[in-house]
Amino acid sequence: IGVFIAHRLNERIREVVTDGLGLATGMIAVLTTAAITNPLLSQTLGAGRPVLIVLASVVVGGMLGTVMRIEDRLEAFGDRLKARFSGKDGSRFTEGFVAASLLFCVGAMSVLGPITDGLGGGNEILVLKSTLDFFASIAFASVFGWGVAASAVTILLFQGSLTLLGYALGNFMSEVQVLMLTATGGLLLLAISLRLLNLKQIPVGNMLPALIIAPLLAAAFS
C-alpha cells in the first residue's frame, strides 16, 4: 500500500490516526493495570503492597534503566546500524529493511505485547502495535520501497521469540508474579499513550527493567 498510495495520505490524516491510537492505547493501559485489583494479590502480598511493588518497580527500574542509558543505547545502536548498511551499498532496499526493522522491534510495546500474549493475557497490545506498524510502514514504504516489507521477517523472529519466552515464563512463574508483571506493564503502556498523544515524551525504554523487578518483588513478598 505504501509503495503505491502513501503520497496521498497527508500529515493531518496521520495525526488523527496517531491520536486515535494513543487514546486506544490509554484505554488498554487502564484495563491492563486493573490487574492490580485482583483479590489474589491482596490475599497473598498483603493489603496495599501490590501498589507499592508497582511503584518500586517503576521507580527503581527507571533509575536502573537511566543509569544504563537503555533508551539512548538503543537509539545509538539503531543509528549505527542504519549508517553502516545505508553507506555500504547505497541500497534503498537495505536501508528500508534496517530502518523498519529497528522501528518495529525497538520499544516497550514490542516487548510487552508478545510477552503478555505468551503469558495468556491476550493479544490486545499486539493488535495495537500492529495497527501502529501498519500506518508507519505505509509512510516508510513511500520513501524506501519494498525493503520495508522484508522487515516482517525480523519482526517474526524477534516478537515470536518473546512470545515463546512469555509462554515459558508462565510455566514457572506464579499467578501472583504474572499479575504484578501485567499491572506494571500497564503503566508502561500508559506512558506510551502519553507519548503518542504528545503530552509527555517519557523514556519508556529506560523503564523496561521494571518488568523484571516486579515479579521478583512479588516472589519476595509472597
Side-chain angles (χ1 to χ4, degrees):
I1 293 174
V3 170
F4 297 110
I5 70 165
H7 62 282
R8 298 182 183 179
L9 299 179
N10 59 43
E11 189 62 28
R12 293 180 65 183
I13 292 177
R14 292 174 185 171
E15 286 180 1
V16 168
V17 170
T18 303
D19 289 344
L21 290 169
L23 291 172
T25 302
M27 178 186 67
I28 291 183
V30 171
L31 294 174
T32 304
T33 309
I36 204 168
T37 62
N38 192 303
L40 178 63
L41 293 179
S42 296
Q43 295 170 9
T44 307
L45 304 174
R49 285 186 177 175
V51 175
L52 292 177
I53 289 176
V54 171
L55 174 62
S57 300
V58 172
V59 172
V60 176
M63 291 171 63
L64 287 174
T66 302
V67 171
M68 296 166 64
R69 297 175 56 226
I70 293 177
E71 188 141 311
D72 291 341
R73 291 177 187 276
L74 287 173
E75 290 179 1
F77 172 73
D79 290 340
R80 287 197 302 271
L81 202 58
K82 282 190 287 186
R84 176 184 174 186
F85 280 92
S86 61
K88 184 177 180 179
D89 56 7
S91 170
R92 299 291 278 175
F93 183 95
T94 303
E95 189 175 356
F97 168 72
V98 174
S101 295
L102 289 169
L103 175 69
F104 300 147
C105 293
V106 174
M109 264 191 179
S110 304
V111 176
L112 280 174
I115 287 181
T116 301
D117 185 33
L119 288 170
N123 65 351
E124 291 88 351
I125 300 174
L126 278 178
V127 171
L128 262 179
K129 182 186 178 298
S130 66
T131 307
L132 279 168
D133 290 352
F134 170 73
F135 288 101
S137 65
I138 290 177
F140 264 62
S142 68
V143 177
F144 295 110
W146 292 106
V148 175
S151 67
V153 177
T154 307
I155 297 168
L156 173 64
L157 294 175
F158 178 75
Q159 293 190 170
S161 299
L162 289 178
T163 299
L164 293 175
L165 174 63
Y167 179 76
L169 289 174
N171 286 331
F172 71 83
M173 284 175 61
S174 68
E175 186 178 355
V176 169
Q177 289 177 293
V178 172
L179 286 170
M180 290 309 307
L181 185 148
T182 302
T184 305
L187 273 189
L188 300 191
L189 270 182
L190 185 58
I192 294 173
S193 173
L194 295 177
R195 291 184 65 153
L196 289 173
L197 295 171
N198 285 321
L199 295 177
K200 185 173 178 60
Q201 296 301 309
I202 299 174
V204 184
N206 288 340
M207 295 182 175
L208 287 176
L211 298 178
I212 300 174
I213 295 173
L216 291 178
L217 286 178
F221 275 100
S222 61

